[in-house]
Amino acid sequence: MSESNPVGAIIPVAPGRMRNLWYPQRKAEYMTDTQLRGMNMRELVVERDFTFIPKQSTDDQVLEDQGPETVISVEMKLLAPQQAAEILATLLPPQLDFYRSPISQPSESEKPRPSRSRFVSAAAAEFAAASESLAKPGPVAIYGSVSTADIAASIKAALAMDEEGARVVLGPEDVTIVSGKGDEDGGEADRIKNLGEFEIDVRVKGGEAIRRIIGLGKAIRLQERPNTISEDVRKFYQQVNKTQMATNVLSRKAGVIVGDDVLKLFNHAQAKKFAIPAINVTSSSTVVAALEAARDKKAPIILQMSQGGAAFFAGKGVPNGDQQASIAGAVAGAHYVRSIAPSYGIPVVLHTDHCAKKLLPWLDGMMEADEAYFKEHNEPLFSSHMIDLSEEEVDWNIETTAKYLKRAAPMKQWLEMEIGITGGEEDGVNNEDVDNNSLYTQPEDIYNIYHTLSAISPYFSIAAGFGNVHGVYKPGNVKLHPELLGKHQKYVKEKINAKEDKPVFLVFHGGSGSSKQEYKDAIGYGVVKVNLDTDLQYAYLTGIRDYVLKKKDYLMSAVGNPEGEDKPNKKYFDPRVWIREGEKTMSARVQEGLEDFNTAGQL
């Protein structure tokens, strides 16, 4: 606000003018994030003036403002060592630059060579050129030094730019100077005294060491130094802040997410190299077990219903000749998940599993419910569906999938399709006798699918066969080849001339019983979703089984147990007791999957 503009306006101002003229003269004020949010201007991109430091109050002023009885308490929840190390590895740039005056200056005849510095900036380039040109005569000593305390302070200042990073506890003792150019003459272990590049290890207590580079360059006069390094660093942290945690990229932080949020979540999963487990649910009890696990592990989750699971949700006594029970059960389950998921504070993708050709009426019924829900709420009831026509001819598979994607596209609804048969048996779909060659998808098919579907909508993923088999089998009987997924990504990238290495969102079916390394390899090739069913069915059983065996003598009659013939047994046979035991063991197995797929801690 100013005399010429009494109403006020938000405009970009050069930091120097704002700092030295407008703000001291009260012609303008700095805007805070809180103020911007209050004015519904969250999308406005504002660059912070890092050179501005507000005037500090004197101690007397602080005491006068607070009053004699005021006590300020600050509470900060410390991070677990593994979480702190992950945040540090994410936020810490590859190179940290420091500048000191050299004791001996290079002669005019020594021309710097082109830089290959990790930061693309004029100042960093000058540093690299100086350090390379001085390498031949030997180490160039500097006035003063760069100590581990200096490095720790620089790292903490950088971490403070991020809400999570500010919680990382780091001190000089956590920084170790390892080696690098310019240290041939030895020196003190906790400080650098020469120009050059040096390797350091940063290790938070209880975490793994993180290797970074310290660049120590010749100091440049302030008026000559380009203001580009801070700009590079600021942009780096702005980008990291947007993508560090999964919830940072989502407009809806908890409950069922749809449309662009699903796309953002899968993009984030590829970038962070994690996959989201898709849990087959058949009742409110299995829904609760999965949600509890994801909440406790601070992870997103996918809840999905198969055609048989949806019918069970409706009740086995409901006729299902025209898929009416499966449709009704899926819709009822979806409304239940939408109602309860926000209570767990995590993002949930609401999905339906395999829909073969004979089950297409089931998919049609659910999409009718989606379209009705969309008219009222501007989003579909389900986040996504899966159409599985892998047993059909490839061309018909792609053509029919494209038809359903066109129907889903106006709602921004995700569609998963399968190409290449997943062996074994699951939920009435039996592929135990298929030819092994059918278990492996070809790169040409993946490209054909991508080319066809991407012209319709970006909201799709592909379950490609790489030897997957439903069910649990003896180790060694199933030959998975996740490296084939890498070939698919490379083929599509070359065909469409993509910049990203993983242009396709891939899905891992038949995951139960696979090794952790197989999961890790598949996720590295762009898998964003891993189905878990058989292992969880057995896990749910074990809790109930063990309870019944342990309490058998209390479950043989309503009254009478080892404690007395007239003792009631209601507290033992109450379904809430033994069903809960199944939820606990299933939840524990889901948590294991969240760890295996690197999903834990991503929120």
Side-chain angles (χ1 to χ4, degrees), residues 259-326:
D260 288 331
D261 274 345
V262 177
L263 178 62
K264 291 175 183 177
L265 179 61
F266 287 163
N267 270 318
H268 185 72
Q270 280 193 341
K272 291 289 188 176
K273 293 186 178 180
F274 71 89
I276 307 163
I279 311 303
N280 281 69
V281 294
T282 57
S283 64
S284 61
S285 177
T286 51
V287 168
V288 165
L291 290 175
E292 275 191 8
R295 178 201 62 196
D296 294 346
K297 286 296 182 179
K298 296 180 173 58
I301 197 78
I302 299 173
L303 300 183
Q304 63 186 23
M305 285 177 279
S306 66
Q307 180 262 355
F312 187 85
F313 219 112
K316 296 296 286 184
V318 179
N320 202 25
D322 296 322
Q323 303 300 323
Q324 63 266 40
S326 292

Side-chain angles (χ1 to χ4, degrees), residues 81 84-85 88 168-170 174 202-208:
L88 188 62
V168 176
V169 177
L170 188 77
D174 301 316
V202 183
R203 185 196 303 271
V204 294
K205 292 178 177 61
E208 296 182 358

Side-chain angles (χ1 to χ4, degrees), residues 310-586:
F312 187 85
F313 219 112
K316 296 296 286 184
V318 179
N320 202 25
D322 296 322
Q323 303 300 323
Q324 63 266 40
S326 292
I327 295 170
V331 171
H335 282 289
Y336 171 72
V337 172
R338 276 187 169 271
S339 298
I340 201 65
S343 300
Y344 289 82
I346 57 169
V348 176
V349 177
L350 182 55
H351 181 67
T352 60
D353 205 7
H354 295 271
C355 179
K357 181 179 179 180
K358 64 182 180 180
L359 302 180
L360 287 177
W362 173 52
L363 179 56
D364 290 330
M366 291 187 293
M367 295 193 75
E368 288 177 8
D370 286 318
E371 289 159 347
Y373 194 88
F374 183 83
K375 289 180 180 179
E376 185 175 351
H377 302 281
N378 201 34
E379 64 181 53
L381 178 61
F382 292 87
S383 310
S384 58
H385 296 294
M386 181 193 179
I387 182 170
D388 179 6
L389 305 175
S390 56
E391 294 181 298
E392 315 304 324
E393 293 293 331
V394 172
D395 290 343
W396 192 85
N397 181 353
I398 299 174
E399 178 185 346
T400 307
T401 299
K403 182 183 71 173
Y404 278 93
L405 185 60
K406 288 178 181 177
R407 183 176 178 180
M411 299 182 286
K412 290 190 174 181
Q413 188 175 50
W414 197 273
L415 189 64
E416 176 188 330
M417 67 89 65
E418 182 164 350
I419 185 76
I421 296 174
T422 299
E425 188 274 335
E426 181 185 48
D427 205 9
V429 178
N430 194 323
N431 291 323
E432 293 178 310
D433 298 325
V434 300
D435 181 10
N436 282 344
N437 291 330
S438 301
L439 303 179
Y440 302 99
T441 306
Q442 300 304 309
E444 293 81 6
D445 290 334
I446 299 296
Y447 168 69
N448 192 10
I449 295 166
Y450 183 91
H451 176 73
T452 302
L453 300 186
S454 61
I456 301 169
S457 166
Y459 308 106
F460 69 92
S461 52
I462 303 174
F466 55 100
N468 322 49
V469 175
H470 284 135
V472 177
Y473 295 83
K474 183 178 179 181
N477 285 2
V478 177
K479 304 296 183 183
L480 287 177
H481 291 280
E483 70 279 3
L484 295 177
L485 302 179
K487 294 180 180 179
H488 299 337
Q489 297 281 20
K490 182 179 179 181
Y491 187 83
V492 174
K493 176 184 178 180
E494 292 174 351
K495 294 290 287 186
I496 67 174
N497 196 27
K499 293 182 180 179
E500 61 271 21
D501 292 329
K502 294 173 283 190
V504 184
F505 295 110
L506 297 172
V507 176
F508 188 158
H509 279 249
S512 294
S514 300
S515 70
K516 293 182 180 181
Q517 187 60 46
E518 286 169 336
Y519 287 135
K520 182 178 179 180
D521 291 344
I523 292 168
Y525 293 126
V527 164
V528 296
K529 172 179 177 278
V530 181
N531 282 16
L532 281 181
D533 185 22
T534 307
D535 282 358
L536 300 182
Q537 290 176 351
Y538 186 74
Y540 190 90
L541 165 68
T542 58
I544 298 173
R545 178 201 64 193
D546 293 347
Y547 175 82
V548 170
L549 292 176
K550 182 178 179 181
K551 301 294 184 181
K552 179 176 71 68
D553 293 336
Y554 294 82
L555 302 175
M556 303 307 292
S557 60
V559 178
N561 59 50
E563 298 175 18
E565 294 182 357
D566 59 346
K567 295 292 183 181
N569 293 320
K570 184 181 185 306
K571 65 179 180 181
Y572 299 106
F573 62 71
D574 186 329
R576 292 172 295 181
V577 177
W578 50 270
I579 287 177
R580 179 57 183 160
E581 295 303 314
E583 292 174 358
K584 290 178 182 178
T585 47
M586 176 179 167

Side-chain angles (χ1 to χ4, degrees), residues 98 146-156 171-173 175 190-191:
F98 291 83
V146 173
S147 66
T148 52
D150 296 327
I151 297 170
S154 178
I155 294 174
K156 287 164 66 177
E173 67 276 8
V175 179
D190 66 341
R191 62 191 63 242

